[in-house]
Protein backbone atom coordinates (compact mmCIF):
# COMPACT_ATOMS: atom_id res chain seq x y z
CA UNK A 1 0.00 0.00 0.00
CA UNK A 2 1.34 3.42 -0.94
CA UNK A 3 0.94 5.93 1.86
CA UNK A 4 -0.72 9.14 0.75
CA UNK A 5 -0.19 12.17 2.95
CA UNK A 6 -3.23 13.79 4.48
CA UNK A 7 -2.57 17.04 2.63
CA UNK A 8 -2.28 15.29 -0.75
CA UNK A 9 -5.40 13.30 -0.06
CA UNK A 10 -7.31 16.42 0.89
CA UNK A 11 -6.37 18.13 -2.36
CA UNK A 12 -7.37 15.25 -4.61
CA UNK A 13 -10.22 13.37 -2.94
CA UNK A 14 -12.26 15.38 -0.46
CA UNK A 15 -14.89 16.76 -2.82
CA UNK A 16 -15.24 13.35 -4.43
CA UNK A 17 -15.85 11.63 -1.10
CA UNK A 18 -18.38 14.23 0.05
CA UNK A 19 -20.24 14.00 -3.26
CA UNK A 20 -20.13 10.22 -3.28
CA UNK A 21 -21.41 9.94 0.28
CA UNK A 22 -24.24 12.39 -0.41
CA UNK A 23 -25.33 10.49 -3.52
CA UNK A 24 -25.14 7.00 -2.02
CA UNK A 25 -26.78 8.01 1.25
CA UNK A 26 -29.61 9.70 -0.66
CA UNK A 27 -30.29 6.53 -2.64
CA UNK A 28 -30.40 4.44 0.53
CA UNK A 29 -32.67 7.03 2.16
CA UNK A 30 -35.06 6.89 -0.81
CA UNK A 31 -35.32 3.12 -0.41
CA UNK A 32 -35.79 3.44 3.35
CA UNK A 33 -38.67 5.85 2.90
CA UNK A 34 -40.55 3.15 0.97
CA UNK A 35 -40.01 0.32 3.46
CA UNK A 36 -43.33 -0.95 4.82
CA UNK A 37 -42.08 -3.77 7.08
CA UNK A 38 -39.00 -3.13 9.20
CA UNK A 39 -39.11 -6.73 10.47
CA UNK A 40 -39.00 -8.31 7.01
CA UNK A 41 -36.23 -10.86 6.35
CA UNK A 42 -33.11 -9.81 4.46
CA UNK A 43 -30.46 -11.62 2.38
CA UNK A 44 -28.38 -11.75 5.59
CA UNK A 45 -30.09 -14.63 7.40
CA UNK A 46 -29.77 -13.25 10.93
CA UNK A 47 -30.91 -9.73 10.03
CA UNK A 48 -34.30 -8.11 9.72
CA UNK A 49 -34.66 -4.96 7.61
CA UNK A 50 -34.09 -2.55 10.52
CA UNK A 51 -30.84 -4.40 11.30
CA UNK A 52 -29.31 -3.10 8.08
CA UNK A 53 -29.50 0.37 9.60
CA UNK A 54 -28.46 -0.78 13.07
CA UNK A 55 -25.33 -2.12 11.39
CA UNK A 56 -24.60 0.92 9.20
CA UNK A 57 -25.15 3.34 12.09
CA UNK A 58 -23.55 1.21 14.76
CA UNK A 59 -19.97 0.37 13.83
CA UNK A 60 -18.70 3.64 12.34
CA UNK A 61 -18.74 5.87 15.49
CA UNK A 62 -16.82 3.23 17.43
CA UNK A 63 -14.22 2.64 14.75
CA UNK A 64 -13.62 6.34 14.22
CA UNK A 65 -13.59 6.97 17.97
CA UNK A 66 -10.76 4.46 18.30
CA UNK A 67 -8.84 6.63 15.85
CA UNK A 68 -9.60 9.83 17.77
CA UNK A 69 -12.39 11.11 15.51
CA UNK A 70 -15.71 11.97 17.11
CA UNK A 71 -18.91 10.99 15.31
CA UNK A 72 -22.12 11.09 17.36
CA UNK A 73 -23.77 7.70 17.81
CA UNK A 74 -27.44 7.55 16.82
CA UNK A 75 -29.77 4.78 17.98
CA UNK A 76 -32.17 3.35 15.41
CA UNK A 77 -35.19 3.39 17.72
CA UNK A 78 -38.76 3.25 16.41
CA UNK A 79 -38.37 5.81 13.61
CA UNK A 80 -35.68 4.19 11.50
CA UNK A 81 -35.81 6.76 8.70
CA UNK A 82 -35.47 9.74 11.06
CA UNK A 83 -32.55 8.09 12.86
CA UNK A 84 -30.89 7.26 9.54
CA UNK A 85 -31.25 10.85 8.32
CA UNK A 86 -29.67 12.14 11.53
CA UNK A 87 -26.75 9.73 11.19
CA UNK A 88 -26.33 10.60 7.51
CA UNK A 89 -26.25 14.33 8.32
CA UNK A 90 -23.54 13.68 10.92
CA UNK A 91 -21.43 11.72 8.43
CA UNK A 92 -21.97 14.34 5.72
CA UNK A 93 -20.76 17.08 8.07
CA UNK A 94 -17.62 15.03 8.63
CA UNK A 95 -16.93 14.40 4.94
CA UNK A 96 -17.62 18.04 4.07
CA UNK A 97 -14.80 19.10 6.43
CA UNK A 98 -11.59 18.98 4.39
CA UNK A 99 -9.37 19.42 7.44
CA UNK A 100 -10.99 16.43 9.11
CA UNK A 101 -10.67 14.27 6.01
CA UNK A 102 -6.98 15.09 5.77
CA UNK A 103 -6.30 13.96 9.35
CA UNK A 104 -4.11 10.89 9.61
CA UNK A 105 -5.64 8.20 11.81
CA UNK A 106 -4.94 4.54 12.54
CA UNK A 107 -7.86 2.16 12.94
CA UNK A 108 -5.71 -0.96 12.91
CA UNK A 109 -4.51 -0.96 9.30
CA UNK A 110 -1.71 1.55 9.66
CA UNK A 111 -1.85 5.36 9.39
CA UNK A 112 -4.16 6.65 6.68
CA UNK A 113 -6.05 9.88 5.96
CA UNK A 114 -9.52 9.79 7.47
CA UNK A 115 -10.96 10.21 3.98
CA UNK A 116 -9.28 7.01 2.80
CA UNK A 117 -10.61 5.12 5.82
CA UNK A 118 -14.16 6.31 5.17
CA UNK A 119 -13.92 5.52 1.49
CA UNK A 120 -12.51 2.05 2.04
CA UNK A 121 -14.86 0.95 4.80
CA UNK A 122 -17.98 3.06 5.16
CA UNK A 123 -18.67 4.22 1.59
CA UNK A 124 -18.26 0.65 0.34
CA UNK A 125 -20.58 -0.64 3.09
CA UNK A 126 -23.17 1.99 2.27
CA UNK A 127 -23.11 0.91 -1.35
CA UNK A 128 -23.29 -2.84 -0.80
CA UNK A 129 -26.07 -2.78 1.79
CA UNK A 130 -28.32 -0.94 -0.66
CA UNK A 131 -28.76 -4.30 -2.39
CA UNK A 132 -29.78 -5.94 0.91
CA UNK A 133 -32.34 -3.23 1.63
CA UNK A 134 -33.79 -3.29 -1.87
CA UNK A 135 -34.20 -7.05 -1.85
CA UNK A 136 -35.72 -7.09 1.64
CA UNK A 137 -38.26 -4.41 0.74
CA UNK A 138 -39.16 -5.47 -2.80
CA UNK A 139 -37.47 -2.52 -4.51
CA UNK A 140 -34.78 -2.08 -7.14
CA UNK A 141 -31.23 -1.47 -5.90
CA UNK A 142 -30.12 0.30 -9.12
CA UNK A 143 -26.46 -0.20 -8.25
CA UNK A 144 -24.12 1.94 -10.34
CA UNK A 145 -22.51 -0.42 -12.90
CA UNK A 146 -19.12 1.30 -12.85
CA UNK A 147 -18.84 0.99 -9.07
CA UNK A 148 -19.97 -2.64 -9.21
CA UNK A 149 -17.40 -3.48 -11.88
CA UNK A 150 -14.59 -1.81 -9.94
CA UNK A 151 -15.50 -3.63 -6.74
CA UNK A 152 -15.65 -7.00 -8.50
CA UNK A 153 -12.25 -6.36 -10.03
CA UNK A 154 -10.76 -5.35 -6.69
CA UNK A 155 -12.40 -7.97 -4.50
CA UNK A 156 -12.19 -11.13 -6.63
CA UNK A 157 -8.44 -11.66 -6.04
CA UNK A 158 -8.93 -11.30 -2.26
CA UNK A 159 -12.01 -13.51 -1.87
CA UNK A 160 -10.22 -15.73 0.65
CA UNK A 161 -9.22 -12.69 2.71
CA UNK A 162 -12.82 -11.45 2.67
CA UNK A 163 -14.03 -14.81 3.93
CA UNK A 164 -11.41 -14.94 6.68
CA UNK A 165 -12.32 -11.44 7.88
CA UNK A 166 -15.65 -12.61 9.27
CA UNK A 167 -17.31 -9.45 7.93
CA UNK A 168 -19.08 -11.19 5.04
CA UNK A 169 -20.89 -14.43 4.36
CA UNK A 170 -18.87 -17.12 2.61
CA UNK A 171 -17.61 -15.52 -0.62
CA UNK A 172 -18.37 -17.27 -3.90
CA UNK A 173 -16.35 -16.37 -6.99
CA UNK A 174 -18.53 -16.44 -10.10
CA UNK A 175 -16.96 -16.31 -13.55
CA UNK A 176 -17.57 -13.64 -16.15
CA UNK A 177 -20.55 -15.48 -17.65
CA UNK A 178 -22.50 -13.91 -14.74
CA UNK A 179 -23.40 -10.24 -14.45
CA UNK A 180 -21.06 -7.99 -12.51
CA UNK A 181 -23.81 -7.37 -9.96
CA UNK A 182 -24.35 -11.10 -9.35
CA UNK A 183 -20.59 -11.55 -9.05
CA UNK A 184 -20.33 -8.77 -6.46
CA UNK A 185 -23.26 -10.08 -4.43
CA UNK A 186 -21.76 -13.58 -4.43
CA UNK A 187 -18.39 -12.18 -3.36
CA UNK A 188 -19.95 -10.65 -0.25
CA UNK A 189 -21.56 -13.97 0.62
CA UNK A 190 -25.10 -13.34 -0.58
CA UNK A 191 -27.24 -15.40 -2.93
CA UNK A 192 -27.79 -13.24 -6.04
CA UNK A 193 -31.16 -14.98 -6.54
CA UNK A 194 -32.37 -14.41 -2.96
CA UNK A 195 -36.06 -13.68 -2.50
CA UNK A 196 -38.00 -13.11 0.76
Amino acid sequence: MVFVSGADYARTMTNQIAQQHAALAAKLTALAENVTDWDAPTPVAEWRTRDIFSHLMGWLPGMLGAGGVELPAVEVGDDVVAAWKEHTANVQALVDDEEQLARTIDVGQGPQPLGAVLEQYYIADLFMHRWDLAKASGQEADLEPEIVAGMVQGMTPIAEVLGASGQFGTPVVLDDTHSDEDRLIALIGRDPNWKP
Side-chain angles (χ1 to χ4, degrees):
M1 178 182 297
V2 177
F3 177 73
V4 180
S5 75
D8 288 342
Y9 196 88
R11 280 193 294 272
T12 60
M13 297 299 292
T14 50
N15 288 341
Q16 178 180 327
I17 292 171
Q19 291 168 8
Q20 192 171 42
H21 174 263
L24 294 178
K27 290 189 175 184
L28 200 63
T29 299
L31 290 176
E33 288 174 334
N34 289 312
V35 170
T36 58
D37 183 0
W38 289 105
D39 293 314
T42 76
V44 181
E46 61 271 22
W47 283 2
R48 294 295 179 237
T49 305
R50 75 174 54 250
D51 297 325
I52 295 169
F53 291 91
S54 296
H55 167 74
L56 284 169
M57 294 162 59
W59 65 264
L60 185 61
M63 184 186 80
L64 294 183
V69 177
E70 184 177 343
L71 180 70
V74 179
E75 294 295 324
V76 170
D78 292 331
D79 191 337
V80 178
V81 175
W84 171 246
K85 287 180 177 180
E86 181 181 350
H87 169 79
T88 295
N90 292 339
V91 176
Q92 192 65 44
L94 186 62
V95 297
D96 284 338
D97 185 333
E98 295 191 3
E99 287 187 14
Q100 282 277 45
L101 284 190
R103 287 179 56 180
T104 299
I105 66 170
D106 189 343
V107 293
Q109 303 295 321
Q112 299 180 76
L114 171 60
V117 171
L118 289 169
E119 188 175 34
Q120 180 179 355
Y121 295 104
Y122 184 70
I123 300 290
D125 217 31
L126 191 62
F127 179 77
M128 290 184 286
H129 286 303
R130 193 197 319 161
W131 188 86
D132 292 326
L133 181 61
K135 288 294 181 182
S137 57
Q139 302 182 72
E140 292 297 323
D142 292 325
L143 298 180
E144 292 80 352
E146 67 281 3
I147 299 178
V148 172
M151 292 182 84
V152 169
Q153 183 178 15
M155 293 169 71
T156 299
I158 60 167
E160 288 186 14
V161 175
L162 298 176
S165 73
Q167 296 175 10
F168 301 91
T170 303
V172 175
V173 178
L174 299 177
D175 64 30
D176 60 10
T177 63
H178 297 266
S179 71
D180 282 342
E181 183 169 313
D182 284 357
R183 293 173 72 191
L184 174 62
I185 298 312
L187 275 167
I188 60 173
R190 315 286 200 264
D191 175 1
N193 298 309
W194 184 90
K195 292 186 185 336

